[in-house]
């Protein structure tokens, strides 16, 4: 719930009095979002229901790609892995309604964002850097929250919105949302569905990328008093997706989730609110090499699942006019299981996965305690600080590994301190130092240094790795001169025991290892908008990261090159139109064969430019039509961090999975 997000509340505390940086509120708008600006200190918020360009795949990663500083490791049409400031995987925390969500696929087909259906949420918030400890340990690059809004029935007891979208590659999406309630309670139901065929790149070559996804979310809340909320919520979703970068596709991405939340706020005294939450999240993922592609060879199925159970108790205190304290304890445990089936003897026969038994291969347990304090020395300045201690346990339950039955217990420390200063009505500056520690995740612990093929691995193990420690300096400024507004967010990070994934081609094509190195990254995002006249607005967004592997004295791998986005929009009463010009530099800083749990460097890439146009029209107060053509000039290009193309029957092999060529889309939104 947005209102409960204390980071937001804390910022609002200061900024309500001192700042004029308005957060974009969700409403039907005639503007297509092309590059959401940093609208508060270290924070970007954006409306996931709004149209955006280029049109994102219907998953969390592609929506984030629109935000300066983010890029996506492309694998196919959907389920790419989001990367922020060169950091992927567990370095970027993804929270759905406040719950940390984890995928299960050993080949990383299902990043947390693969289970995100963005239109099921009302707001996406990105917190940059290790400048918060509320949401767990180790999210060194940042934390992304997909959240629902606090129901507001002051005007209408029944509210809803719906949208449909059509586009190239037979893309079609449907979304419907209904919220009903009064002062005593509410009901919130949301459903989404999307379907797309293979898209074509700029050379008119089909990419193995079709997908279908759907989700249903529901929440039932009772509010017996103005200060009390008790809510039960649940979600079920599933999908299938073709992958262009590997020998298998995702045949199922089942998720079901249930949560119970209770919150009590207080009007008097120093205790402002107390909140408790318990949740269960279960994902069951099937991948195989025959459902979504032609297969003449041996048919194989792999079916991981993961159950995550968590609980959290948090409270907010306002001991004085100038101080807010947030504190909490949290617990999370998750069990990962795997079953596989193949039929080496008879390639024609489909292996039976239901007769294989699920073997638990790894188990994780986390307990954390944290405190955050904001102190506003006067109306202009504030000091923000926090400390978290986590106790993390990982158990290796695999058989026949050198680390079988090992239990790895780690104590992780994270903390930050930040100073913000409102220099005058137009400028706010900040500087912060943060430190965060992360234990190796499932993927890093299960690298296969002696893998023979996709299904067969040896005894060697990467289960035991040192914890990754990141110390980062964040500084920046936000400016608002009415006609001209903008921001700069810069960072400098030292990564000790950074967990680097390295392919081992001398062992086999499937072998890879994980090892601790020292690394340095620094960079910045900048954005600016200029309201030239009442009708014309232009904007620009720049992002840049430099990474170095200090142990091997090479470039740090999987870093997207610098990019610039230039936009120009024209607006009249009921319609608007605009263009987006995206310019991406070449990337010559590479370290071939190393990277993260998702992708490893393939080689250098040339720069490219993509131009897109869009238009919006509101024929009535509650109806908006949005349309666009992405990649207008049908340029053939691939992102630097895209994965390499695989040999798939009926498809051209490309060095990297290419991005879509010219793509048109039309979206209709209605609010009632
Ligand atoms: Cu998979």
């Amino acid at each position: 719930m947005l209102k409960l997000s204390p980071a937001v509340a804390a910022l609002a505390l200061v900024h309500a009095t001192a700042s004029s940086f308005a957060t974009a509120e969700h409403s039907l708008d005639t503007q297509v979002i092309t590059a959401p600006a940093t609208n508060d200190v270290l924070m970007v918020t954006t409306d996931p229901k709004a149209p955006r360009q280029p049109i994102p795949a219907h998953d969390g990663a592609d929506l984030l790609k629109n935000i300066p500083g983010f890029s996506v490791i492309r694998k196919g049409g959907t389920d790419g892995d989001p990367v922020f400031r060169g950091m992927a995987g567990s370095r970027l925390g993804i929270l759905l309604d406040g719950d940390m969500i984890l995928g299960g696929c050993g080949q990383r087909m299902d990043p947390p964002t693969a289970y995100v259906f963005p239109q099921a949420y009302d707001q996406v918030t990105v917190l940059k850097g290790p400048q918060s400890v509320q949401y767990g340990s180790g999210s060194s690059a940042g934390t992304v929250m997909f959240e629902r809004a606090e129901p507001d029935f002051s005007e209408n007891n029944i509210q809803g919105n719906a949208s449909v979208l059509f586009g190239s590659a037979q893309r079609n999406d449907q979304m419907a949302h209904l919220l009903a309630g009064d002062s005593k309670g509410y009901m919130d139901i949301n459903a989404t569905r999307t379907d797309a065929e293979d898209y074509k790149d700029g050379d008119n070559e089909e990419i193995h990328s079709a997908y279908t996804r759907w989700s249903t979310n529901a929440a039932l809340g009772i509010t017996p008093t103005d200060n009390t909320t008790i809510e039960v919520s649940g979600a079920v979703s599933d999908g299938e997706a073709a992958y262009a970068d590997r020998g298998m596709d995702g045949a199922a991405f089942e998720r079901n989730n249930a949560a119970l939340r209770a919150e009590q706020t207080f009007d008097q005294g120093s205790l402002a609110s107390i909140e408790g939450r318990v949740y269960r999240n279960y994902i069951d993922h099937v991948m195989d090499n025959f459902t979504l592609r032609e297969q003449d060879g041996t048919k194989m199925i792999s079916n991981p699942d993961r159950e995550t159970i968590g609980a959290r108790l948090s409270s907010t205190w306002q001991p004085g006019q100038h101080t807010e304290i947030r504190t909490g304890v949290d617990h999370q445990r998750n069990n990962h299981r795997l079953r596989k089936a193949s039929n080496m003897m008879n390639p024609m026969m489909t292996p039976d996965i239901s007769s294989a038994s699920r073997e638990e291969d790894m188990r994780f347990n986390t307990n954390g305690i944290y405190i955050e304090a904001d102190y506003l020395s006067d109306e202009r300045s504030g000091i923000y600080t926090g400390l978290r201690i986590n106790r993390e346990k990982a158990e290796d339950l695999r058989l026949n590994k050198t680390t079988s039955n090992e239990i790895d217990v780690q104590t992780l420390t994270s903390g930050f301190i930040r100073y913000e200063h409102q220099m005058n009505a137009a400028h706010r500056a900040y500087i912060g130092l943060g430190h965060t520690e992360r234990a190796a995740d499932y993927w890093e612990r299960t690298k296969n240094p002696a893998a023979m093929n996709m299904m067969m691995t040896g005894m060697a193990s990467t289960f035991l790795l040192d914890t990754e420690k990141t110390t980062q300096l964040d500084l920046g400024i936000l400016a608002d001169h009415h006609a001209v507004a903008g921001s700069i967010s810069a960072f400098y990070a030292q990564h000790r025991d950074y967990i680097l994934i390295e392919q081992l081609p001398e062992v086999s094509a499937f072998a890879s290892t994980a090892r601790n190195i020292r690394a340095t990254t620094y960079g910045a995002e900048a954005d600016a908008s200029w309201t030239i006249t009442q009708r014309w607005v232009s904007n620009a967004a720049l992002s840049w990261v430099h990474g170095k592997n200090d142990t091997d004295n090479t470039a740090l791998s999987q870093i997207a090159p610098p990019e610039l986005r230039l936009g120009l929009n024209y607006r009249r009463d009921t319609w608007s139109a605009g263009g987006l010009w995206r310019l991406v530099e070449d990337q010559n800083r590479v370290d071939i064969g190393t990277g993260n749990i998702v992708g490893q460097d393939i080689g250098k890439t040339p720069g490219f430019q993509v131009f897109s146009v869009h238009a919006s029209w509101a024929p009535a107060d509650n109806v908006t039509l949005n349309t666009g053509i992405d990649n207008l000039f049908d340029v053939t290009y691939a992102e630097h961090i895209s994965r390499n193309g695989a040999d798939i029957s009926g498809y051209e092999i490309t060095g990297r999975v290419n991005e879509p060529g010219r793509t048109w889309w039309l979206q209709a939104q209605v609010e009632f």
Side-chain angles (χ1 to χ4, degrees):
M1 289 285 165
L2 297 182
K3 206 179 115 194
L4 302 173
S5 169
V8 179
L11 288 161
L13 197 73
V14 174
H15 298 179
T17 51
S19 150
S20 55
F21 302 110
T23 356
E25 263 308 308
H26 169 54
S27 66
L28 279 186
D29 210 323
T30 45
Q31 291 278 35
V32 173
I33 297 174
T34 54
T38 297
N39 33 26
D40 217 323
V41 169
L42 291 165
M43 189 162 85
V44 182
T45 52
T46 188
D47 172 9
K49 289 185 169 78
R52 53 194 66 228
Q53 186 166 50
I55 176 187
H58 194 74
D59 75 324
D62 249 31
L63 179 127
L64 294 171
K65 188 179 180 177
N66 192 258
I67 299 172
F70 276 90
S71 35
V72 168
I73 301 179
R74 184 178 283 280
K75 309 160 190 174
T78 185
D79 301 340
D81 246 88
V83 180
F84 183 58
R85 293 175 166 175
M87 298 291 137
S90 306
R91 296 170 184 125
L92 184 65
I94 308 284
L95 300 169
L96 301 188
D97 278 333
D99 303 339
M100 182 74 76
I101 172 166
L102 295 162
C105 178
Q107 318 299 326
R108 193 70 182 183
M109 278 179 177
D110 63 343
T113 42
Y115 298 100
V116 177
F117 295 76
Q119 294 198 327
Y121 298 89
D122 298 312
Q123 184 169 294
V124 179
T125 303
V126 176
L127 300 177
K128 299 181 179 184
Q131 286 285 319
S132 167
V133 293
Q134 280 185 77
Y135 307 102
S137 190
S139 303
S140 54
T143 302
V144 181
M145 296 181 284
F146 290 85
E147 296 171 297
R148 284 179 290 132
E150 184 87 0
D152 175 7
F153 299 109
S154 53
E155 280 176 22
N156 282 309
N157 288 100
I158 299 177
Q159 300 155 27
N161 51 73
S163 74
V164 291
L165 182 147
F166 300 96
S168 300
Q170 297 181 49
R171 170 83 181 263
N172 68 92
D173 292 14
Q174 303 84 38
M175 184 281 287
H177 176 220
L178 185 72
L179 176 65
D182 57 20
S183 62
K184 291 288 166 232
Y186 59 89
M187 188 185 69
D188 190 347
I189 297 173
N190 185 296
T192 73
R193 185 193 163 275
T194 180
D195 184 63
E197 295 300 319
D198 288 343
Y199 68 76
K200 287 178 177 163
D201 69 9
D203 290 334
N204 220 27
E205 289 293 344
E206 272 192 15
I207 309 290
H208 190 54
S209 57
Y211 61 88
T212 306
R213 293 160 54 79
W214 62 264
S215 73
T216 309
N217 292 48
L220 197 63
I222 51 166
T223 45
T225 73
D226 283 353
N227 293 344
T228 314
T229 305
I230 298 164
E231 185 192 80
V232 287
S233 60
V236 284
S237 62
D238 198 0
E240 59 174 35
Y243 286 70
D245 67 325
R246 59 191 73 196
M248 282 187 163
D249 301 306
F253 294 86
E254 275 182 52
R255 169 183 182 236
N256 60 68
N257 162 271
L260 172 69
R261 180 177 72 91
E263 195 210 2
Q264 179 71 42
T265 57
F266 304 93
D267 295 329
Q268 289 173 338
S270 59
L271 176 60
S273 72
I274 184 159
E275 186 191 357
R277 184 174 173 92
V278 290
Y279 64 94
R280 176 185 183 268
N281 194 64
Y282 176 71
I283 60 109
D284 191 6
H285 163 58
V286 178
M287 59 179 150
D288 66 37
N289 62 354
F290 55 87
T291 304
L292 299 176
R293 66 178 70 194
E294 278 178 42
Q295 189 55 252
D296 301 326
T298 305
K299 291 178 177 165
M300 295 184 282
I301 307 180
S302 175
N303 175 204
D305 73 345
R306 173 122 99 182
E307 182 187 45
T308 305
I309 291 170
R312 196 169 61 235
L313 188 66
S314 58
S315 60
T316 304
W317 303 75
Q318 278 153 356
Q321 240 190 321
H322 299 285
T323 312
E324 178 168 298
I325 293 168
R326 295 174 297 278
T327 181
V329 289
D330 42 44
H331 166 78
Q332 190 247 80
R333 73 183 104 150
N334 67 83
N335 298 348
H336 189 279
R337 297 188 301 177
L338 184 60
R339 60 180 176 181
K340 295 175 180 178
S342 63
N343 202 326
M344 301 280 185
M345 298 298 140
N346 187 353
M348 300 305 289
M349 218 167 84
T350 302
D352 177 19
I353 190 74
S354 61
S355 64
S357 65
R358 296 192 194 253
E359 306 287 345
E360 206 175 331
D361 61 350
M362 230 167 259
R363 194 185 290 159
F364 298 86
N365 191 308
T366 300
N367 289 296
I369 181 164
Y370 72 87
I371 183 162
E372 281 192 357
D374 305 344
Y375 175 70
L376 316 179
S377 55
D378 52 58
E379 290 219 332
R380 292 169 154 265
S381 341
I383 292 170
Y384 302 77
T385 183
L387 179 70
R388 167 182 278 270
I389 309 284
N390 263 30
R391 187 83 169 158
E392 309 231 348
K393 187 165 95 171
E395 294 171 73
D396 192 353
L397 305 171
R398 297 170 300 172
L399 304 169
N400 307 319
K401 289 283 174 189
T402 52
T403 55
S404 294
N405 302 315
E406 281 282 355
I407 298 177
D408 186 25
V409 180
Q410 307 277 5
T411 303
L412 312 179
T413 311
S414 305
F416 71 91
I417 183 158
R418 181 173 78 250
Y419 176 69
E420 292 184 18
H421 184 67
Q422 188 76 31
M423 297 182 288
N424 49 48
H427 297 98
R428 185 172 188 86
Y430 66 91
I431 181 162
L433 187 68
H435 176 84
T436 189
E437 192 171 0
R438 181 177 73 84
D441 61 25
Y442 173 79
W443 295 271
E444 289 158 340
R445 292 179 192 270
T446 50
K447 284 299 117 194
N448 293 316
M452 314 300 151
N453 62 40
M454 220 186 297
M455 307 293 266
M456 310 274 275
T457 63
M459 292 269 294
S461 171
T462 58
F463 180 75
L464 295 171
L465 286 159
D466 288 338
T467 60
E468 183 174 288
K469 289 144 293 251
T470 303
T471 307
Q472 182 165 314
L473 183 71
D474 275 288
L475 69 167
I477 187 163
L478 292 111
D480 185 359
H481 294 271
H482 301 290
V484 179
S487 76
I488 299 172
S489 324
F491 72 98
Y492 176 88
Q494 290 260 315
H495 310 264
R496 270 195 303 133
D497 296 317
Y498 180 92
I499 301 171
L500 187 78
I501 305 300
E502 185 167 18
Q503 295 172 351
L504 302 173
E506 66 280 5
V507 178
S508 87
F510 298 94
S512 61
T513 192
R515 62 184 168 94
N516 294 108
I517 60 156
R518 281 186 87 99
T520 307
T521 54
Y522 51 86
E525 300 91 46
D527 61 69
S529 75
W530 178 29
T531 309
I532 307 162
T533 68
Q534 262 198 326
R535 303 211 181 283
W536 290 94
V537 179
S538 76
N539 54 62
L542 178 77
S543 58
W544 158 71
V545 181
H546 182 94
K548 187 168 182 288
N549 172 340
D550 299 304
T551 299
D552 303 330
N553 206 18
T554 58
L556 188 65
S557 36
Q558 292 289 286
I559 305 275
E563 77 167 76
L564 176 66
R565 271 179 249 187
L566 299 172
L568 184 63
N569 279 282
Y570 179 77
R571 183 169 203 148
R572 292 196 81 96
D573 299 332
T574 60
W575 62 273
S576 71
L580 167 69
W581 186 18
R582 179 170 174 242
L583 301 97
V584 178
E585 263 276 26
D586 46 5
Q587 180 57 287
N588 296 313
R589 291 184 51 78
V590 295
D591 183 24
I592 293 168
T594 76
N596 49 52
I597 55 170
V598 193
Q600 295 84 40
D601 275 6
I602 301 167
K604 298 177 181 180
T605 44
F608 56 84
Q609 299 181 21
V610 185
F611 187 73
S612 304
V613 290
H614 58 259
S616 297
W617 177 47
D621 266 358
N622 52 355
V623 180
T624 317
L625 296 172
N626 304 288
T627 184
I629 304 171
D630 303 343
N631 192 1
L632 183 67
F633 300 113
D634 212 9
V635 174
T636 305
Y637 70 104
E639 303 286 347
H640 174 71
I641 58 173
S642 271
R643 301 227 343 144
N644 59 305
D647 184 359
I648 299 166
S649 168
Y651 294 83
E652 195 84 4
I653 308 178
T654 54
R656 282 181 174 76
V657 180
N658 282 334
E659 296 294 310
R662 185 183 299 124
T663 304
W664 72 269
W665 50 268
L666 174 69
Q667 187 205 38
Q669 281 180 298
V670 52
E671 204 160 88
F672 51 87

